[in-house]
């Protein structure tokens, strides 16, 4: 199975900060990577697919990059609505696997 | 608008069976790849199973031989039959449309396996 490791696990930041979350795969997954945002008690929401493609309706302050084994999710200017938990997910091969999550907290 | 509503969760004893349903609207489940994803309380996300539009299925190792994914085209519903349930199967179960990534999700249904 492909292991996905996110860092950091917890990130404290302020509104208007630029933040970056990293996701590393245990083997190359090309660009078959997605990012999700999840708020408490809600289903995850797709933000980015194919490493850097922005899902329809997602604000342009979210961006993704990377290929192979290292990927990043960047939020260019944090808004209050962005404080949530973020997950990466590989879909290169079965079983599909997720990172352990990064909780983005208000500083 | 694409919408999915899960149901069928509840409290069940270890070794028991439960069938989850995911009622879809705004699209045909037969034309989409559909997955189940679960989340144990306070934990991360775990992919469980997928069914292709052609009917091919895949499962994560921990549920192989115990869970079965299927769909009812006449009811436009996705199912997850769960047998031989274990305490570690306790989770919120989400259905989702799947292009590899999961682009549309239901609200989830909670399954609690406990004696």
């Amino acid at each position: 199975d492909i292991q996905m490791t996110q860092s950091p696990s917890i990130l404290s930041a302020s509104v208007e900060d630029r933040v970056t979350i990293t996701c590393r795969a245990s083997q190359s997954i090309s660009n078959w990577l997605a990012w999700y945002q999840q708020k408490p008690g809600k289903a995850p929401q797709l933000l980015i697919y194919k490493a850097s493609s922005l899902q329809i309706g997602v604000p342009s302050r979210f961006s993704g990059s990377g290929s192979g084994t290292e990927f990043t999710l960047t939020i260019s200017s944090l808004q209050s609505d962005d404080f949530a938990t973020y997950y990466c997910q590989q879909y290169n091969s079965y079983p599909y696997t997720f990172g352990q999550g990064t909780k983005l907290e208000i500083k | 608008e694409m919408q999915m509503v899960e149901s069928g969760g509840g409290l069940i004893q270890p070794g028991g069976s439960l069938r989850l349903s995911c009622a879809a609207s705004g699209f045909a489940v037969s034309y989409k790849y559909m997955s189940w994803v679960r989340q144990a309380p306070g934990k991360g996300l775990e992919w469980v199973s997928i069914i292709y539009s052609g009917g091919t299925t895949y499962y994560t190792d921990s549920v192989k031989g115990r869970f079965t994914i299927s769909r009812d085209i006449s009811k436009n519903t996705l199912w997850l039959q769960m047998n031989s349930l274990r305490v570690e199967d306790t989770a919120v179960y989400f259905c989702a449309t799947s292009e590899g990534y999961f682009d549309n999700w239901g609200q989830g249904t909670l399954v609690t396996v406990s004696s």
Side-chain angles (χ1 to χ4, degrees):
Chain A
D1 298 3
I2 298 175
Q3 307 301 316
M4 305 300 292
T5 304
Q6 290 180 230
S7 59
S9 294
I10 301 174
L11 179 57
S12 297
S14 302
V15 172
E16 297 186 358
D17 281 355
R18 179 184 179 90
V19 298
T20 297
I21 299 169
T22 297
C23 178
R24 290 187 174 86
S26 60
Q27 64 189 74
S28 177
I29 58 170
S30 184
N31 59 354
W32 303 118
L33 184 101
W35 289 97
Y36 302 86
Q37 177 194 71
Q38 188 179 32
K39 296 181 179 179
K42 300 293 187 183
Q45 177 188 351
L46 176 68
L47 300 174
I48 302 283
Y49 61 95
K50 211 172 179 185
S52 60
S53 296
L54 192 68
Q55 173 69 349
I56 294 169
V58 175
S60 59
R61 62 181 180 272
F62 291 92
S63 64
S65 65
S67 66
T69 61
E70 188 150 337
F71 303 86
T72 59
L73 173 70
T74 298
I75 309 173
S76 59
S77 178
L78 269 176
Q79 303 301 301
S80 56
D81 190 50
D82 300 337
F83 292 96
T85 300
Y86 293 84
Y87 294 93
C88 62
Q89 176 237 335
Q90 67 82 18
Y91 51 102
N92 179 78
S93 62
Y94 293 118
Y96 294 159
T97 47
F98 292 86
Q100 81 279 12
T102 294
K103 186 175 183 180
L104 181 51
E105 297 183 331
I106 300 174
K107 185 183 287 184
Chain B
E1 181 191 2
M2 294 177 64
Q3 199 169 16
M4 290 164 290
V5 178
E6 300 95 333
S7 60
L11 176 63
I12 188 79
Q13 290 190 336
S17 297
L18 214 53
R19 188 175 74 163
L20 306 183
S21 63
C22 169
S25 58
F27 72 100
V29 296
S30 57
Y31 291 156
K32 288 278 190 181
Y33 289 16
M34 301 287 298
S35 278
W36 289 96
V37 177
R38 66 185 178 183
Q39 186 169 36
K43 302 297 184 183
L45 300 164
E46 180 184 26
W47 171 79
V48 173
S49 181
I50 190 169
I51 184 166
Y52 288 179
S53 52
T56 300
T57 59
Y58 291 95
Y59 300 89
T60 194
D61 281 351
S62 63
V63 310
K64 276 180 191 172
R66 301 189 299 123
F67 289 13
T68 303
I69 190 171
S70 63
R71 60 197 175 191
D72 185 330
I73 295 171
S74 66
K75 292 183 168 64
N76 207 30
T77 296
L78 177 73
W79 306 101
L80 186 67
Q81 176 67 44
M82 304 188 296
N83 299 330
S84 303
L85 281 161
R86 304 168 179 168
V87 171
E88 56 265 33
D89 295 319
T90 294
V92 174
Y93 285 73
F94 299 99
C95 62
T97 57
S98 179
E99 301 289 337
Y101 52 87
F102 307 108
D103 49 350
N104 293 281
W105 298 68
Q107 86 289 349
T109 186
L110 175 62
V111 173
T112 303
V113 185
S114 174
S115 54

